[in-house]
Amino acid sequence: TKIAKAASKMPTFSNVDGAIHLRFIPGVDQELREAIEGHPELTIDLRNNANGLSGPMSDCLEVLAPKGVYGVYGVAKRQLPIQVKTGNPNPPKVRLIVDSSTRGAAEVFALALETAGIGKIEGKSAGHPIITDDFALPDGSGYSLAIAEYREATK
């Protein structure tokens, strides 16, 4: 078997059988915004979602959640807020399906929505809500690096 070298493409967004599947890459928030329009309840399936970027995840929180703080990123001894600046004043009720393959930005997204009372998690995620970011190198290769850990906001 010979496989030609080419860029891999993973669908960023799909709405199958009433469940939204999304990957946290740039632009996914606009697709989510269009999909939830007029729906007071929705299901987001975050299974098999281990990679993703914190920026697009935050953009999706802006689509679903009202203005507020939804946790913090713990970086060494500092805490940086996960903040929705404008948000959705009339958020839908969200059912979040997770399993042990739900990690990174997807796990943080689910925990942030549940902690705020907007979402209800069904299943058990990996249990290590670590945010990673991708870094490109000049030769076209790259790497992922853990940059922060999610923590609930203190009240």
Side-chain angles (χ1 to χ4, degrees), residues 134-143:
D134 296 334
F135 299 90
L137 297 173
D139 68 355
S141 64
Y143 62 95

Side-chain angles (χ1 to χ4, degrees), residues 29 43-44 46-47 62 64 77 83 87 111 116 123-124 127-128 131 136 144 155:
D29 58 306
T43 298
I44 299 176
L46 296 169
R47 293 176 291 185
E62 284 281 345
L64 292 177
K77 294 183 180 180
Q83 187 169 8
L111 290 170
K124 185 165 173 49
H128 303 289
I131 289 291
S144 295
K155 300 192 176 174

Side-chain angles (χ1 to χ4, degrees), residues 8-16 20-26 28 31 45 47-49 51:
S8 299
K9 295 218 177 208
M10 168 79 76
T12 60
F13 184 93
S14 64
N15 193 343
V16 179
I20 293 170
H21 300 261
L22 52 96
R23 303 277 181 245
F24 295 105
I25 64 171
V28 71
E31 292 180 87
D45 189 340
R47 293 176 291 185
N48 300 311
N49 200 331
N51 297 316

Side-chain angles (χ1 to χ4, degrees), residues 45 63 75 86 92 118:
D45 189 340
V63 171
V75 181
T86 54
I118 295 165

Side-chain angles (χ1 to χ4, degrees), residues 69 71-72 79 151-155:
V69 175
V72 294
Q79 292 192 4
R151 299 178 189 145
E152 279 188 39
T154 54
K155 300 192 176 174

Side-chain angles (χ1 to χ4, degrees), residues 43-95:
T43 298
I44 299 176
D45 189 340
L46 296 169
R47 293 176 291 185
N48 300 311
N49 200 331
N51 297 316
L53 302 173
S54 60
M57 185 273 299
S58 294
D59 294 341
C60 287
L61 282 175
E62 284 281 345
V63 171
L64 292 177
K67 181 178 178 179
V69 175
Y70 289 85
V72 294
Y73 291 131
V75 181
K77 294 183 180 180
R78 297 183 324 154
Q79 292 192 4
L80 306 170
I82 301 170
Q83 187 169 8
V84 171
K85 294 180 181 163
T86 54
N88 183 343
N90 299 308
K93 291 182 181 185
V94 183
R95 177 177 159 236

